[in-house]
């Protein structure tokens, strides 16, 4: 007879937090959401820490380079989707790493004999309004001038106008030697009211660009997540089939952390993948694994060398694995079980393996519940798919703006590697749906509002950081009647949408 758990599995919606004593210091501005991403030994700190406990899902409809930049700017990490060619995924990672490094290798360059039409086409392609004019049009060619939007007017100039005739020439530019420090470069930008500063070598070849917007961005986004070279931190998804080729390419591109993207992680395939990475790179390459839903699965992946373990099967809004295969577990119960195993493993070994809760988050308050239940950070798909920065189309459905959103196990994505069981290279049946989610605007505005709720709730619990929330929070199961009581009830709501 099969083993049967005595207690039913529960979802986040079946729990509430019970308030704790809040001191005068418990105000949202004092709350830190800093959290570890990869394993570390007792008494040490994780080599990768996030400033907010949010990562975006390894999905075609969620995580590309644009999403990665936006989320890193807020303090989190995107895991670029792996269900694309190795070259394309590596290129996305590289674009994130080069987007903001303080010293930027120019990717918008043009020759002086090209035209305004070429400038406009380049601006459309890269999104950058500052174009370096070099002798050969290369990133490190001899600098001859700069073209910005102030140098031309499309309505009054011919598309055939030659760049040399309207660019700001070198003799009118302020430049600096390539040995200039970032602090000194920013001081020059500030003193001379510049938007950009080219750094050149002794022969006049362009080496780097330093932009005012990068300085301003850092001052405005105090939680932005940067590596030791001042570049945005980015993750990338891998699978258990082509890891021998994909991992080296992603490492070369600059990925800070990898994650095995799989619907079910308690497999020898993941152990083999982790063993390859450890043998080739030791502990220098950080990689998470999953997904699992119980203590046995966690222990297996922790002992196999995972840097973090992802929890959740079938709880995602577009996932139909439970319907199709009858496997999974309520996300809250799975998370509580795995986090208990995480703590036991830490006591035994002195190694803390962070836990990522993946799926089942419907409302903002579920974020705080998941953290209280032991999650170190949260992976979300539907949440991020709603934003401007997701790679999908914005469409109008029944008069409302929506964003396209599809699962990796849908026929649209056909990410068979994620559901690989060692058989034929195909998707035998769907484990995800193709859908729409309500358009929500910018990532920045929504993430900041969601985390304002998390910080406020943590203050209600009397804690100022995630470890204290995990240690001191009090949770209670609620009845179906309590769920009804928790919303607006026994009143007639005003129609605020009607015309006045």
């Amino acid at each position: 007879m099969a083993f049967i758990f005595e207690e039913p599995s529960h979802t986040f919606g079946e729990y509430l937090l019970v308030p704790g004593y809040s001191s005068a210091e418990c105000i949202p501005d004092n709350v830190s959401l800093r959290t570890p991403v990869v394993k570390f030994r007792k008494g040490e700190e994780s080599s990768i820490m996030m400033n907010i406990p949010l990562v975006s899902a390894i999905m075609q409809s969620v995580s590309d380079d644009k999403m990665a930049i936006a989320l890193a700017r807020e303090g989190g990490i995107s895991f670029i989707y792996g269900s694309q060619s190795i070259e394309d995924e590596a290129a996305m990672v590289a674009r994130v790493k080069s987007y903001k490094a303080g010293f930027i290798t120019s990717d918008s360059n043009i020759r002086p004999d090209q035209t305004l039409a070429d400038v406009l086409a380049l601006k459309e392609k890269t999104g950058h309004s500052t174009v370096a004019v070099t002798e050969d049009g290369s990133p490190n060619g001899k600098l001859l001038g700069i073209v910005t939007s102030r140098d031309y007017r499309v309505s009054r100039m011919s598309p055939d106008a030659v760049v040399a005739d309207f660019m700001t020439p070198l003799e009118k530019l302020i430049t600096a030697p390539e040995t200039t420090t970032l602090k000194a470069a920013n001081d020059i930008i500030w003193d001379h009211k510049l938007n950009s500063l080219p750094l050149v070598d002794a022969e006049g070849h362009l080496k780097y660009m330093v932009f005012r917007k990068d300085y301003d961005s850092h001052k405005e986004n105090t939680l932005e997540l940067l590596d030791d070279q001042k570049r945005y931190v980015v993750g990338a998804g891998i699978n258990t089939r082509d890891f021998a080729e994909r991992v080296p390419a992603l490492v070369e591109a600059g990925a800070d952390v990898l994650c095995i993207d799989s619907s079910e992680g308690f497999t020898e395939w993941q152990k083999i993948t982790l063993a390859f990475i450890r043998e080739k790179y030791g502990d220098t390459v950080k990689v998470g694994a999953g997904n699992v839903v119980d203590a046995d699965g966690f222990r297996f992946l922790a002992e196999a060398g995972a840097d973090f373990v992802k929890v959740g099967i079938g709880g995602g809004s577009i996932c139909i694995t439970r319907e199709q295969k009858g496997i999974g577990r309520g996300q809250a119960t799975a998370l509580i079980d795995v986090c208990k195993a995480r703590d036991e493993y830490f006591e035994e070994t002195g190694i803390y393996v962070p836990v990522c809760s993946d799926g089942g988050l419907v409302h903002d308050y579920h974020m705080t519940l998941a953290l209280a239940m032991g999650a170190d950070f949260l992976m979300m798909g539907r949440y991020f798919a709603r934003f401007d920065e997701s790679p999908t189309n914005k469409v109008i459905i029944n008069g409302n703006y929506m964003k396209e959103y599809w699962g990796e196990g849908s026929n649209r994505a056909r990410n068979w590697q994620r559901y690989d069981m060692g058989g034929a290279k195909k998707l035998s049946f769907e484990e995800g749906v193709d859908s729409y989610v309500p358009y929500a605007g910018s990532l920045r505005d929504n993430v900041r509002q969601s985390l304002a709720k998390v910080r406020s709730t943590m203050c209600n619990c009397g804690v100022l950081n995630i470890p204290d929330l995990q240690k001191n929070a009090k949770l209670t199961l609620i009845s179906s009647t309590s769920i009804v009581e928790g919303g607006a009830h026994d009143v007639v709501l005003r129609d605020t949408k009607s015309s006045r």
Side-chain angles (χ1 to χ4, degrees):
M1 179 180 175
F3 175 82
I4 300 176
F5 289 92
E6 293 183 2
E7 294 292 326
S9 63
H10 298 285
T11 65
F12 294 129
E14 296 175 77
Y15 284 89
L16 285 177
L17 284 155
V18 176
Y21 170 73
S22 300
S23 70
E25 292 182 348
C26 279
I27 60 174
D29 284 348
N30 291 340
V31 172
S32 169
L33 295 178
R34 201 160 182 267
T35 194
V37 179
V38 298
K39 67 184 177 185
F40 57 95
R41 292 191 174 276
K42 189 173 184 178
E44 299 177 355
E45 183 177 82
S46 174
S47 61
I48 302 178
M49 299 286 294
M50 283 193 297
N51 293 324
I52 63 172
L54 305 183
V55 301
S56 65
I58 311 169
M59 301 175 68
Q60 295 174 9
S61 56
V62 178
S63 297
D64 64 354
D65 48 316
K66 185 178 180 182
M67 175 63 70
I69 291 166
L71 186 50
R73 190 175 285 146
E74 297 303 313
I77 297 176
S78 279
F79 284 85
I80 302 292
Y81 69 91
S83 52
Q84 58 179 321
S85 73
I86 295 172
E87 295 75 18
D88 287 347
E89 185 180 10
M92 283 190 180
V93 170
R95 285 198 292 273
V96 178
K97 299 307 290 185
S98 66
Y99 181 82
K100 183 183 187 301
F103 299 110
I104 305 291
T105 299
S106 178
D107 64 353
S108 292
N109 310 284
I110 205 161
R111 298 189 314 275
D113 60 341
Q114 291 184 265
T115 65
L116 175 60
D118 295 324
V119 171
L120 297 176
L122 186 60
K123 181 180 178 182
E124 177 70 21
K125 178 183 177 182
T126 65
H128 300 155
S129 58
T130 298
V131 178
V133 184
T134 60
E135 198 170 54
D136 59 1
S138 70
N140 299 124
K142 191 169 184 179
L143 183 65
L144 301 178
I146 291 285
V147 173
T148 71
S149 55
R150 291 177 296 184
D151 291 313
Y152 58 84
R153 293 185 67 177
V154 176
S155 61
R156 295 190 177 185
M157 292 173 60
S158 166
D160 297 325
V162 178
V163 169
D165 294 336
F166 62 85
M167 70 180 185
T168 301
L170 180 62
E171 56 268 23
K172 292 185 178 180
L173 293 177
I174 294 174
T175 64
E178 62 174 318
T179 54
T180 305
T181 66
L182 185 59
K183 183 180 186 303
N186 282 319
D187 287 342
I188 294 171
I189 288 173
W190 182 264
D191 292 341
H192 295 276
K193 298 181 173 62
L194 306 174
N195 287 323
S196 63
L197 177 69
L199 303 185
V200 297
D201 65 15
E203 287 75 42
H205 294 95
L206 177 64
K207 302 303 290 185
Y208 305 106
M209 298 286 291
V210 179
F211 292 92
R212 174 188 287 271
K213 67 177 179 61
D214 288 343
Y215 177 82
D216 292 341
S217 173
H218 181 63
K219 292 300 181 183
E220 184 180 350
N221 302 293
T222 56
L223 295 178
E224 65 180 354
L225 196 59
L226 306 174
D227 65 16
D228 56 5
Q229 298 180 52
K230 305 296 185 183
R231 302 175 301 178
Y232 283 133
V233 173
V234 61
I238 61 174
N239 62 68
T240 57
R241 280 278 181 141
D242 65 8
F243 55 86
E245 296 79 33
R246 190 174 293 268
V247 171
L250 296 174
V251 171
E252 176 68 23
D256 297 278
V257 57
L258 307 176
C259 184
I260 302 173
D261 181 29
S262 175
S263 65
E264 206 274 292
F266 197 175
T267 73
E268 187 175 2
W269 308 112
Q270 296 221 359
K271 184 177 181 180
I272 292 169
T273 305
L274 290 167
F276 166 82
I277 294 172
R278 294 293 167 246
E279 182 178 350
K280 185 174 178 64
Y281 298 101
D283 290 326
T284 61
V285 170
K286 307 302 181 182
V287 55
N291 288 17
V292 298
V293 292
D294 65 3
D296 292 340
F298 171 85
R299 172 77 61 158
F300 172 80
L301 291 176
E303 293 176 347
D307 283 295
F308 66 86
V309 173
K310 204 142 62 78
V311 178
I313 295 177
S317 60
I318 41 71
C319 184
I320 54 173
T321 293
R322 296 182 195 175
E323 291 181 26
Q324 294 282 55
K325 297 166 67 174
I327 65 165
R329 200 176 190 189
Q331 186 67 9
T333 300
L335 183 59
I336 292 168
D337 195 5
V338 169
C339 290
K340 181 180 178 182
R342 185 262 325 273
D343 293 342
E344 292 172 351
Y345 186 79
F346 181 52
E347 287 297 316
E348 291 175 24
T349 66
I351 299 173
Y352 188 92
V353 181
V355 167
C356 170
S357 179
D358 177 18
L361 296 163
V362 179
H363 305 291
D364 285 348
Y365 81 90
H366 289 172
M367 296 181 187
T368 321
L369 286 170
L371 295 170
M373 290 172 183
D376 295 284
F377 56 98
L378 319 172
M379 178 172 280
M380 296 184 289
R382 179 194 61 85
Y383 178 85
F384 288 109
R386 303 172 302 147
F387 303 149
D388 289 318
E389 293 82 0
S390 74
T392 62
N393 295 320
K394 183 169 71 173
V395 296
I396 297 178
I397 304 293
N398 296 326
N400 297 311
Y401 280 110
M402 310 287 281
K403 290 276 283 186
E404 296 176 316
Y405 180 47
W406 60 91
E408 290 295 290
S410 66
N411 272 326
R412 184 169 184 174
R414 302 205 65 79
N415 181 10
W416 64 269
Q417 295 97 330
R418 189 176 196 276
Y419 304 89
D420 186 26
M421 301 285 289
K425 297 181 180 181
K426 65 177 183 177
L427 191 69
S428 300
F429 52 88
E430 287 188 287
E431 293 190 44
V433 298
D434 198 336
S435 62
Y436 301 99
V437 289
Y439 168 65
S442 74
L443 179 145
R444 171 182 169 173
D445 292 343
N446 283 275
V447 164
R448 293 187 179 188
Q449 182 180 63
S450 294
L451 294 182
K453 296 177 187 178
V454 172
R455 291 186 178 95
S456 180
T457 304
M458 287 173 65
C459 288
N460 292 139
C461 296
V463 298
L464 292 174
N465 56 62
I466 292 173
D468 284 350
L469 177 68
Q470 294 168 341
K471 183 169 61 176
N472 299 325
K474 295 181 288 186
L475 289 157
T476 180
L477 273 168
I478 58 176
S479 67
S480 58
T481 307
S482 296
I483 295 173
V484 174
E485 182 185 61
H489 61 89
D490 300 312
V491 294
V492 178
L493 297 178
R494 295 178 60 185
D495 183 5
T496 58
K497 296 180 180 180
S498 60
S499 59
R500 296 181 179 179

